[in-house]
Amino acid sequence: MSNQPFAGVVVAGAGPAGLAAAVRAREGGAQVVMLDDNPSIGGQIWRSEEAHPSSSRALTWFQKFRPSGAERITGARIIHGDTKRRLLVVEKHEDAFEMRYEKLILATGARELFLAFPGWTLPNVMGVGGLQALVKSGLPIEGKRIIVAGTGPLLLAAAAYFRNRGAIVPIIAEQADWSRVAAFGLRLSRNLRKLVQATSLRLALKNTTYLRSCWVEVAHGEGRLRTATLRTHKRVWNEPCDYLAIAYGFRANIELPLLMNCRTEGGVVRVNEFQHTSQEGIYCAGECTGIGGVDKSLIEGEIAGHAAAGLKDLAERLFKKRKRAHQFAAALERTFALRDELRKLPLDETIVCRCEDVTWRQLRPMHSWRSAKLETRCGMGPCQGRVCGPILEFLLGWHPESVRPPLFPARLESLVVSSETEESLHT
Ligand SMILES: Cc1cc2nc3c(=O)[nH]c(=O)nc-3n(C[C@H](O)[C@H](O)[C@H](O)COP(=O)(O)OP(=O)(O)OC[C@H]3O[C@@H](n4cnc5c(N)ncnc54)[C@H](O)[C@@H]3O)c2cc1C
């Protein structure tokens, strides 16, 4: 174990929110360290893009970050924290260390929401982000048939991405109905940048059928995916495919904020106008305060960074811009709310917790997340409920009752550091 010295502002997460927070806090004169468990900075959207940014916004923020003087530590996973001593326990490769903070900005982002339906655990059925990440790291998809299904604007962005890399995307299955999506499109047309983005996506997808009120009911195949059953109100049919890329929206990564005793509500972290949480000296920005896309993450990150550096007047100047990002986030939530029919997808034998092979039949008689964990081991595998927790929240309305360290499966040595930190909490 090695202990890191005190570092003024620690930023947890190097996505758009973390980058913007680190840049603004550094501009305000703070000493800044930004940590992320990925090997590169950029978060979910700009991961591995530092050398070749895919958009002008990514380029702008990488260019601001590099000369800022903020330190980055990548491949570093925060597994525990102690608000009294203001420190985090971090695991990096063979090392585990404590890092002290004066101010902490949590920018831990979000993860994809999966839904359980028959066949969802077959090989080649995967999250849109997971498939994108595999393609980015070299998976060839030329000529492969990919059905993109779920909800939200990410479906279009992902389908265009797969098409540009040579895949055939015959269908995008959007579960939201036509009238809601049309109203959302009308709203987008009032924002020039978003209108340009949406138009270029539609052009890139001109040979792809974009179905509304459509969802995947079953994925079929022996050993690997062969076809998917799609349903609309009018028909049910089987569509051949090599990959099924699914995205039913996102769930905020609130495990670290919960561990740091930050107040949450409705699955997101509560913050005040300066992005300050209920815990003294801890700020939160980006998807973990509410799902809203990259604009919201950037602007909240900037506000948190200014505020953490003590420059509240600069933060206040951004409030109006943030309000617009929040209005867009609210429209996203309304438009792409999940339909009730999706709650009826799992059959008795459908696996819900894929780490521990727990089926829907085993879970239905349970009364709570706690009893499910105790009696079936649901949520107790390597992902620690990150996948099945949100599925059960959607199906049964259960919320995880508590979060315990370590936040991720950790090496024994790291657990020693972690337990020393734990002990210190009680002395
Ligand atoms: C899988 C996925 C794919 C997406 N693809 C697109 C896309 O193609 N186009 C698009 O417009 N939007 C996409 N989005 C949405 C987009 O990522 C967000 O709008 C935006 O990136 C959010 O920025 P953020 O900084 O709030 O969070 P993120 O970008 O998610 O960054 C959070 C970072 O914190 C790190 N982190 C979390 N917990 C810890 C911890 N304990 N220790 C260390 N590091 C930690 C994460 O690894 C991550 O790098 C995607 C989202 C997801 C989840």
Side-chain angles (χ1 to χ4, degrees):
M1 174 188 89
S2 59
N3 279 322
Q4 294 278 326
F6 159 77
V9 175
V10 172
V11 180
L19 282 170
V23 167
R24 295 304 181 213
R26 187 72 197 111
E27 283 171 359
Q31 191 190 346
V32 178
V33 173
M34 184 176 74
L35 296 161
D36 198 290
D37 55 356
N38 278 295
S40 56
I41 61 173
Q44 296 291 356
I45 183 171
W46 300 332
R47 185 190 300 178
S48 319
E49 284 192 13
E50 195 178 0
H52 305 285
S54 63
S55 66
S56 58
R57 240 170 349 162
L59 177 71
T60 304
W61 282 98
F62 286 132
Q63 278 180 345
K64 282 183 200 283
F65 178 77
R66 269 195 298 269
S68 69
E71 194 189 331
R72 69 172 87 181
I73 305 180
T74 51
R77 182 168 266 185
I78 302 161
I79 58 168
H80 192 11
D82 176 349
T83 48
K84 281 196 190 128
R85 289 169 57 208
R86 295 200 176 205
L87 63 82
L88 299 171
V89 179
V90 184
E91 187 179 79
K92 180 177 163 69
H93 305 311
E94 300 297 298
D95 203 10
F97 56 84
E98 292 179 345
M99 167 157 288
R100 291 179 189 282
Y101 62 84
E102 167 73 21
K103 302 276 171 62
L104 174 64
I105 301 177
L106 300 168
T108 48
R111 56 180 177 269
E112 286 169 299
L113 168 67
F114 292 87
L115 293 184
F117 57 88
W120 76 286
T121 54
L122 270 176
N124 289 4
V125 180
M126 52 184 89
V128 159
L131 184 55
Q132 259 182 323
L134 283 178
V135 175
K136 281 184 187 176
S137 48
L139 178 77
I141 51 167
E142 292 89 18
K144 300 286 183 197
R145 283 176 72 85
I146 302 179
I147 294 178
V148 178
T151 203
L154 180 60
L155 300 188
L156 296 170
Y161 179 85
F162 300 139
R163 283 279 309 261
N164 288 338
R165 273 138 196 94
I168 300 157
V169 183
I171 287 174
I172 299 174
E174 164 61 66
Q175 61 88 41
D177 66 35
W178 185 89
S179 57
R180 281 202 211 173
V181 178
F184 185 74
L186 202 64
R187 186 193 170 91
L188 283 190
S189 65
R190 285 185 240 135
N191 177 321
L192 188 63
R193 196 166 51 78
K194 288 199 161 67
L195 177 67
V196 170
Q197 270 174 5
T199 312
S200 73
L201 280 178
R202 287 304 288 149
L203 282 174
L205 294 167
K206 60 180 186 303
N207 296 323
T208 295
T209 308
Y210 182 39
L211 295 171
R212 270 55 54 101
S213 298
C214 179
W215 61 95
V216 177
E217 213 166 52
V218 187
H220 307 270
E222 289 294 319
R224 84 175 180 84
L225 177 72
R226 300 278 175 205
T227 58
T229 303
L230 295 173
R231 174 182 282 276
T232 63
H233 287 308
K234 291 190 185 138
R235 66 185 184 122
V236 183
W237 74 105
N238 280 344
E239 192 70 38
C241 53
D242 298 299
Y243 291 96
L244 189 50
I246 305 271
Y248 276 109
F250 302 103
R251 283 296 177 268
N253 289 327
I254 56 169
E255 291 76 10
L256 181 58
L258 279 174
L259 198 67
M260 302 306 280
N261 298 319
C262 301
R263 216 176 124 203
T264 61
E265 203 175 287
V268 298
V269 180
R270 284 290 302 269
V271 287
N272 71 9
E273 72 268 41
F274 293 102
Q275 301 296 136
H276 194 271
T277 68
S278 58
Q279 272 298 320
E280 183 53 34
I282 303 186
Y283 299 79
C284 191
E287 302 281 55
C288 42
T289 68
I291 306 303
V294 65
D295 289 343
K296 172 180 169 294
S297 290
L298 284 169
I299 195 75
E300 287 189 358
E302 287 190 82
I303 292 171
H306 284 313
L311 299 173
K312 288 193 165 177
D313 49 334
L314 288 183
E316 274 170 20
R317 288 187 207 164
L318 299 172
F319 285 1
K320 242 190 188 162
K321 201 169 162 195
R322 181 183 53 193
K323 192 174 171 195
R324 285 197 294 274
H326 283 181
Q327 284 165 347
F328 178 74
L332 268 180
E333 194 178 332
R334 274 195 309 276
T335 307
F336 300 105
L338 296 182
R339 55 175 61 240
D340 278 343
E341 288 97 321
L342 300 173
R343 291 196 172 83
K344 299 184 186 107
L345 291 180
L347 303 176
D348 273 357
E349 62 278 13
T350 305
I351 284 174
V352 176
C353 169
R354 63 191 305 170
C355 298
E356 296 287 337
D357 281 351
V358 184
T359 60
W360 182 224
R361 180 190 284 118
Q362 289 170 281
L363 286 165
R364 257 203 326 238
M366 301 295 144
H367 308 294
S368 66
W369 183 232
R370 188 179 163 75
S371 66
K373 274 175 113 169
L374 288 174
E375 290 182 44
T376 69
R377 286 197 53 80
C378 179
M380 295 180 75
C383 92
Q384 291 287 289
R386 281 181 174 75
V387 177
C388 60
I391 295 178
L392 287 166
E393 189 189 322
F394 175 66
L395 291 175
L396 296 168
W398 295 347
H399 299 284
E401 283 149 25
S402 63
V403 174
R404 293 213 180 103
L407 285 177
F408 299 95
R411 289 177 311 112
L412 220 56
E413 192 193 340
S414 315
L415 295 180
V416 174
V417 180
S418 201
S419 66
E420 283 168 4
T421 304
E422 185 72 17
E423 241 167 60
S424 73
L425 275 168
H426 306 291
T427 53

